[in-house]
Amino acid sequence: GPTLLYLLLAFSANHRTMIATQKRKLELPSLEEPWNLESSSESSLAPFGDVETGNTLTNELLTITFNNLLVDLTNEQRRKSDCTLATIMMLAAFDIFFSDRRRKWRAHVNGAGRLIMERLCGSDCNMLTLQDSEEQTDLFFLTRWFSYLDIIGSLSSTSRVITTEKLQAIKYKSMLTDPSVLKSRRINLSDLEAGTGFEYTILSYLAEVSSLIKEKESEQDETGMERMSQEMLAKVLELDYEINTYLENSERERSQIYEKYYSKKPWENYRGYYNLRITNLIFGLTGSYQLKRRVLNLPLDSKIVQDLLVRITKLVDENVPLAASSTSCLSFCLFSCGCELLNDSMAQYLSLIHI
């Protein structure tokens, strides 16, 4: 729709302006030679456009976008369209990339969540089903995009969930994939998503981790105490066991498949999938790590915590190329684990995480 196209133009214009700004800073005359204005001539910046003009264009396009979006949201038919939902998700992406206002992107994600629930379940429901489907419709893509941002964004947050977000929060339930279908995909090397760096099952586990963190925070807010109920403790231990057992079993099966079908073929044919295996494993282990630190409140000097942190960091160090797209996929994991490299024995890994 035209609203989404205007936003895409605004995104492009702002990105172009950002490049021009960075280039201008790089080409400004040095402090030792303030008179040498020729070194930053307009001709060298021409391919990127004028910064002030670019900012003006971006603001104009955003104004048109918001005016059109308001009309779309008040129209019953257009409110339920994929284009309207995609526009709101792109607004979240715009703020993630460019905004300097904290949590602004989260407001757009919450708005997208409400539209999704209206379309799928009705306005009175806050339970979204995570399902593994080969039916790649536009709505499926947008729903998975929303789920990824909502879950990973929640786990990446350094602050407690604010009250309004607790009321709006969507809960997730997952539908198990048939084991025979899953094995067939693994044989075909198609069970891991290149776009996210992990498989559907790991996303569902991360959703449960996020839910338990929010539940723990809610209980603490109500009682004002750090004490954990036996019911909560059981949930955490069961989920942690499930995550680690699944990772162990799935990796064992993938290794068996490799030996049977791919070990005698060129490694280059398997390298991309192997990278996905590593990122998938790191995501799963990071979920387990967050359970131990944010729900169980195990101290940083705990042997369990230290060993898991070292395992995750070594996987990154030994298997993830710095220039690969998989490094970007792992931003959440690098942030979560990198912030914890405070022990003297972990100092060797600081340069790897670039904290």
Side-chain angles (χ1 to χ4, degrees), residues 102-345:
R102 293 185 64 191
R103 307 186 73 87
K104 186 180 178 183
W105 65 271
R106 172 61 79 173
H108 297 309
V109 172
N110 288 339
R114 287 194 292 274
L115 289 185
I116 289 173
M117 300 314 296
E118 286 178 14
R119 293 180 61 177
L120 297 181
C121 310
S123 57
D124 296 330
C125 178
N126 72 331
M127 182 71 75
L128 182 61
T129 301
L130 286 175
Q131 54 185 339
D132 189 13
S133 173
E134 292 185 327
E135 183 184 356
Q136 301 295 316
T137 63
D138 292 343
L139 182 57
F140 176 85
F141 170 79
L142 292 169
T143 302
R144 184 61 64 89
W145 183 8
F146 163 81
S147 301
Y148 176 88
L149 278 184
D150 186 41
I151 295 167
I152 300 299
S154 174
L155 291 173
S156 302
S157 176
T158 57
S159 58
R160 301 169 72 82
V161 179
I162 60 177
T163 304
T164 53
E165 289 184 9
K166 287 179 183 177
L167 296 174
Q168 298 169 349
I170 287 178
K171 296 180 180 179
Y172 296 89
K173 61 180 178 180
S174 58
M175 294 179 63
L176 296 177
T177 307
D178 185 277
S180 61
V181 173
L182 192 54
K183 183 170 184 178
S184 176
R185 289 185 189 173
R186 286 174 180 166
I187 292 174
N188 294 324
L189 309 185
S190 61
D191 61 310
L192 301 174
E193 296 181 1
T196 60
F198 53 76
E199 60 181 320
Y200 151 80
T201 307
I202 295 301
L203 180 63
S204 65
Y205 280 139
L206 292 177
E208 292 185 59
V209 172
S210 175
S211 178
L212 284 176
I213 291 173
K214 292 174 183 176
E215 189 177 336
K216 161 78 181 310
E217 291 179 350
S218 296
E219 283 190 3
Q220 187 174 332
D221 288 343
E222 291 173 3
T223 63
M225 301 174 65
E226 289 280 353
R227 189 179 305 166
M228 183 182 300
S229 67
Q230 287 295 317
E231 182 181 2
M232 170 72 77
L233 179 60
K235 286 182 183 178
V236 175
L237 294 178
E238 287 286 343
L239 178 57
D240 190 55
Y241 175 79
E242 280 187 41
I243 292 173
N244 285 282
T245 300
Y246 180 80
L247 290 173
E248 181 180 343
N249 291 340
S250 60
E251 275 302 291
R252 183 188 302 115
E253 182 173 82
R254 291 188 184 101
S255 293
Q256 292 170 348
I257 289 172
Y258 171 76
E259 290 298 327
K260 184 175 182 179
Y261 297 100
Y262 297 97
S263 60
K264 296 180 181 178
K265 296 180 180 180
W267 173 249
E268 289 301 319
N269 296 348
Y270 193 81
R271 183 188 298 276
Y273 182 77
Y274 180 76
N275 289 341
L276 287 175
R277 284 180 60 175
I278 296 299
T279 55
N280 184 67
L281 182 57
I282 291 172
F283 269 107
L285 292 174
T286 303
S288 175
Y289 187 81
Q290 290 226 357
L291 278 178
K292 292 175 172 64
R293 289 287 284 145
R294 298 181 66 180
V295 186
L296 290 179
N297 280 343
L298 291 180
L300 189 56
D301 58 3
S302 161
K303 180 66 173 171
I304 297 174
V305 169
Q306 292 268 316
D307 286 352
L308 184 52
L309 187 56
V310 168
R311 183 184 177 190
I312 294 170
T313 310
K314 280 187 174 181
L315 280 170
V316 175
D317 186 24
E318 297 171 2
N319 298 281
V320 180
L322 291 178
S325 57
S326 52
T327 308
S328 300
C329 288
L330 290 170
S331 296
F332 150 66
C333 304
L334 295 174
F335 172 77
S336 298
C337 298
C339 289
E340 301 274 58
L341 297 176
L342 304 176
N343 191 290
D344 290 341
S345 62

Side-chain angles (χ1 to χ4, degrees), residues 38-50:
E38 293 182 0
S39 64
S40 58
S41 63
E42 290 300 319
S43 60
S44 64
L45 298 174
F48 297 93
D50 179 74

